[in-house]
Amino acid sequence: MKSLLAVTVSVTVSVATLCAATSVHAASWSLTPYPDVPGSYFTELWSINNRGVVVGTTNSGAFIDDHGHRSSYAFPDPSALGNHLSGISDGGVLVGGDGHTAFVDDHGTLTQIAVPGATQTFVRGISANGRYLAGTWLQGTSIHGYVLDRTTSQMTFVAGRQGGAVAMTDVNDNGVAVGVAGNDDASVVVDLQAGTTTWFDAADGFSQLRLLTINDAGELAGRGVDASHQLTGVIGNLADGFMPFLPQTDGYAFVDSLSDAGQATGEVQFYNGGGFNFVATRVTAVPEPAPVLLFATGLLAAGVLARPRRDAAR
């Protein structure tokens, strides 16, 4: 749950990490705290598309923010119970639901997404081109993932490891989806074109990886535990490896949504409680041919109000 955020100042944070001799990049990000919607007691950012349009949810309903022009989302079907937006394509196709019914809103045409035999279906992500959906379905107490190709109507089911739970959270234009295990700290990448499913718990010194988003370049982001056993935001890819995202000493920043235009949405969470939403923009991406230590600046200048920490599993 998110409480009121008092400021909308912008700060620039340099990523700090020791990079191995690979093509992993050190990057600087301009981070802007996102203000809570007036009158709400929590605001949640869920997705940003390549046009910079953000969708989110408050305690009173869903909203769309088009470069500072925020509007409440009105469901085109008066009988729909939905009040949650979780994704938006570059063309403006929306996905969301009400916790029981999942839907796609294609410019006013509402289509329910329901896995046959499921007691509940959720949709979490949509690819930038609007072709693919990623989500979760429940059958009794079992939790499973799926990826839907809207062009072919082909639904690919994703099962957890050893019968455990799995939630698919995002998918890119190439049909590569990412998800997290529900009963342990691990991530899965499903490549529909290659027909492969890859599970991993740790990489590049990070353990308990929970990667929530993927862009068309194959960048993955989420959170993990570093070598000092602290939670930290993580960004990278399977080929080149992972690095911290906006590391700091008093908390961590993790990404919920990552676009191909160099923007991200997520949260800063402080170890002692509290935090805030943010929209971040990539400033630079410089190849590191050898290990280099870059010092990160803190976010104390952001001057935000504390708020209860939410469940990092998302």
Side-chain angles (χ1 to χ4, degrees):
M1 293 297 187
K2 309 203 172 183
S3 64
L4 289 177
L5 179 64
V7 296
T8 59
V9 299
S10 177
V11 295
T12 300
V13 184
S14 298
V15 170
T17 187
L18 282 171
C19 296
T22 69
S23 58
V24 173
H25 291 164
S28 295
W29 294 78
S30 174
L31 185 150
T32 302
Y34 189 87
D36 276 14
V37 174
S40 67
Y41 60 81
F42 81 89
T43 299
E44 194 116 39
L45 302 184
W46 283 96
S47 182
I48 186 168
N49 67 14
N50 291 327
R51 294 177 50 242
V53 180
V54 174
V55 295
T57 300
T58 72
N59 55 287
S60 59
F63 66 89
I64 301 169
D65 190 330
D66 190 346
H67 299 86
H69 300 285
R70 187 164 51 203
S71 58
S72 299
Y73 174 70
F75 287 83
D77 182 355
S79 66
L81 300 176
N83 58 3
H84 172 77
L85 288 177
S86 56
I88 182 170
S89 74
D90 288 349
V93 179
L94 300 162
V95 295
D98 66 352
H100 297 281
T101 302
F103 67 86
V104 176
D105 181 353
D106 192 345
H107 301 90
T109 300
L110 202 68
T111 302
Q112 183 176 343
I113 305 298
V115 174
T119 53
Q120 289 179 286
T121 302
F122 306 89
V123 58
R124 172 62 177 87
I126 184 170
S127 59
N129 61 9
R131 175 172 178 174
Y132 299 102
L133 307 179
T136 304
W137 60 285
L138 279 61
Q139 189 175 48
T141 59
S142 299
I143 303 174
H144 312 278
Y146 72 86
V147 183
L148 173 64
D149 185 336
R150 296 177 63 218
T151 299
T152 65
S153 299
Q154 177 68 39
M155 184 173 281
T156 300
F157 297 107
V158 183
R161 294 186 301 182
Q162 300 176 342
V166 60
M168 301 306 295
T169 54
D170 200 12
V171 60
N172 66 18
D173 285 356
N174 304 311
V176 181
V178 65
V180 296
N183 58 338
D184 61 356
D185 288 313
S187 297
V188 60
V189 173
V190 176
D191 188 330
L192 297 184
Q193 306 302 322
T196 59
T197 299
T198 305
W199 285 91
F200 51 99
D201 307 87
D204 303 301
F206 300 104
S207 61
Q208 300 179 39
L209 284 172
R210 296 182 71 81
L211 302 174
L212 300 171
T213 183
I214 184 170
N215 63 17
D216 290 346
E219 276 189 300
L220 296 152
R223 62 96 166 150
V225 175
D226 64 18
S228 62
H229 307 292
Q230 293 283 355
L231 281 168
T232 182
V234 175
I235 189 169
N237 60 62
L238 295 178
D240 298 328
F242 294 89
M243 62 190 299
F245 179 85
L246 303 182
Q248 52 192 299
T249 58
D250 55 352
Y252 68 100
F254 71 91
V255 176
D256 287 321
S257 177
L258 185 66
S259 79
D260 295 296
Q263 289 189 293
T265 61
E267 280 189 62
V268 169
Q269 293 188 348
F270 299 118
Y271 295 130
N272 63 354
F276 58 92
N277 296 292
F278 66 79
V279 176
T281 302
R282 194 194 310 267
V283 179
T284 60
V286 182
E288 297 293 336
V292 175
L293 180 62
L294 302 175
F295 291 96
T297 62
L299 288 174
L300 295 179
V304 297
L305 292 179
R307 57 153 181 136
R309 185 188 308 173
R310 73 167 187 189
D311 179 9
R314 194 63 181 232

